[in-house]
Amino acid sequence: MKELRRPARLTPGARVAVVAPSGPVPEERLQAGLDLLRGWDLDPVVAPHVLDRHTTFDYLAGADADRAADLQAAWCDPAVDAVLCARGGYGAQRMADLLDWEAMRAAGPKVFVGFSDITALHEAFATRLGLVTLHGPMAAGVDFVKNARAQDHLRATLFAPERVRTIASGGTALVPGRARGVTLGGCLALLAADLGTPHARPSAGGGLLCLEDVGEETYRLDRYLTQLLRAGWLDGVRGVLLGSWESCDTPDRVRALLTDRIGALGVPVAQDFGFGHCEGALTIPFGVTAELDADAGTLTLDEPALR
């Protein structure tokens, strides 16, 4: 697995576009997020359809074509330096094939931030654009608008990424050891659902795989992991970082499953790494070469996430 291109870091006054590729966005949280971004001396602009609601399926932030058009227009606008997702939910897969990836590639690299359902777009940005992306808090997310740790880590990653080249989780080793590879991953359910699509990478081989999920019963987590194993997608993975499992089963039950399915890979595995659907979530760059020290609970990037 090769390292991807790093976008440029942000500077004061940078214009950032907020888009909603997935679920509907609460207006009050969006406004709170915009105020925070302005407080960082950024110039946030809201895409036209961010507050839309799909007329039939209320779990979607507007029509697929409109959500895709917002993302593409923001990405291809030369005045925009970064694209931040407003929230996750569901829907990114429905609009991914409506994007003009050639036009987006021609627009050049810029910062892209999101997590949860946005995992489908992290995969697409890696395979279609060859670009480093940031798995981090979203502009209208509860964690972003209310948690200082999440805000500070994302802000440092955006403006001074050399300050966060070592990401210390405070977690422990599920399987001890060190491993080097290129970071990738996201929400487990989305990675499993993405298999076989035009934007999914063929394998996590050579990678440091980051996994997390929310609100899933243990048998569902088992099914997703077993699907990845049976498909050979985990063959050659170098190490695994486990994030949050909010609103899943008890920690002991989830840990037992992860040990059963992931521990058998024979690679270092770090647990409780503090990214995903949890309070104070850390920002993890995808597409960079790094070293995982599972015993110390650290991920050290070879280079800053952004240029």
Side-chain angles (χ1 to χ4, degrees):
M1 183 177 296
K2 66 179 182 179
E3 189 172 69
L4 305 180
R5 289 186 300 160
R6 294 179 298 144
R9 70 187 64 196
L10 300 187
T11 56
R15 175 164 289 187
V16 296
V18 178
V19 300
S22 301
V25 178
E27 185 172 5
E28 66 279 3
R29 287 218 310 261
L30 175 64
Q31 294 305 323
L34 296 174
D35 287 344
L36 270 170
L37 294 171
R38 294 186 187 105
W40 293 359
D41 201 14
L42 294 172
D43 177 22
V45 293
V46 179
H49 298 285
V50 164
L51 293 175
D52 282 7
R53 298 291 189 276
H54 195 283
T55 55
T56 304
F57 307 116
D58 60 4
Y59 50 80
L60 297 172
D64 296 344
D66 290 338
R67 301 196 319 278
D70 277 2
L71 175 53
Q72 185 166 321
W75 194 264
C76 293
D77 183 345
V80 169
D81 302 294
V83 174
L84 278 57
C85 296
R87 63 155 297 196
Y90 171 76
Q93 286 186 309
R94 289 178 55 124
M95 49 77 79
D97 295 327
L98 303 179
L99 295 166
D100 184 340
W101 292 100
E102 293 299 325
M104 291 174 67
R105 185 181 298 110
K110 57 187 66 176
V111 176
F112 180 73
V113 186
F115 78 105
S116 193
D117 189 62
I118 307 305
T119 296
L121 294 176
H122 283 298
E123 282 287 285
F125 274 67
T127 59
R128 303 304 295 269
L129 303 184
L131 192 64
V132 168
T133 54
L134 301 180
H135 182 279
M138 294 179 280
V142 174
D143 205 42
F144 178 64
V145 301
K146 293 186 176 181
N147 190 281
R149 181 191 191 219
Q151 295 166 12
D152 292 347
H153 198 256
L154 175 60
R155 185 176 185 178
T157 305
L158 293 174
F159 287 97
E162 64 281 348
R163 286 175 41 205
V164 285
R165 273 187 58 192
T166 295
I167 302 172
S169 68
T172 58
L174 186 69
V175 179
R178 295 189 179 202
R180 286 181 52 79
V182 176
T183 55
L184 76 157
C187 183
L188 173 58
L190 268 294
L191 292 170
D194 220 33
L195 287 177
T197 69
H199 309 309
R201 69 186 85 210
S203 168
L208 296 177
L209 178 60
C210 304
L211 294 176
E212 61 93 31
D213 216 318
V214 62
E216 295 283 5
E217 295 186 46
T218 302
Y219 81 90
R220 292 179 181 270
L221 296 175
D222 189 327
R223 183 167 65 198
Y224 304 143
L225 290 167
T226 300
Q227 170 70 358
L228 295 177
L229 287 164
R230 294 181 68 214
W233 198 78
L234 296 177
D235 292 353
V237 71
R238 302 277 180 80
V240 180
L241 293 75
L242 300 173
S244 63
W245 307 95
E246 186 72 21
S247 300
C248 295
D249 210 333
T250 65
D252 286 347
R253 179 95 163 145
V254 173
R255 188 177 299 112
L257 173 68
L258 295 169
T259 301
D260 179 82
R261 299 281 76 190
I262 297 293
L265 294 172
V267 300
V269 180
Q271 61 184 344
D272 302 321
F273 215 88
F275 62 87
H277 296 81
C278 59
E279 188 174 341
L282 300 169
T283 298
I284 307 290
F286 288 165
V288 298
T289 301
E291 179 173 89
L292 168 66
D293 185 334
D295 301 87
T298 58
L299 180 72
T300 302
L301 315 180
D302 281 11
E303 296 180 297
L306 306 178
R307 291 185 287 107

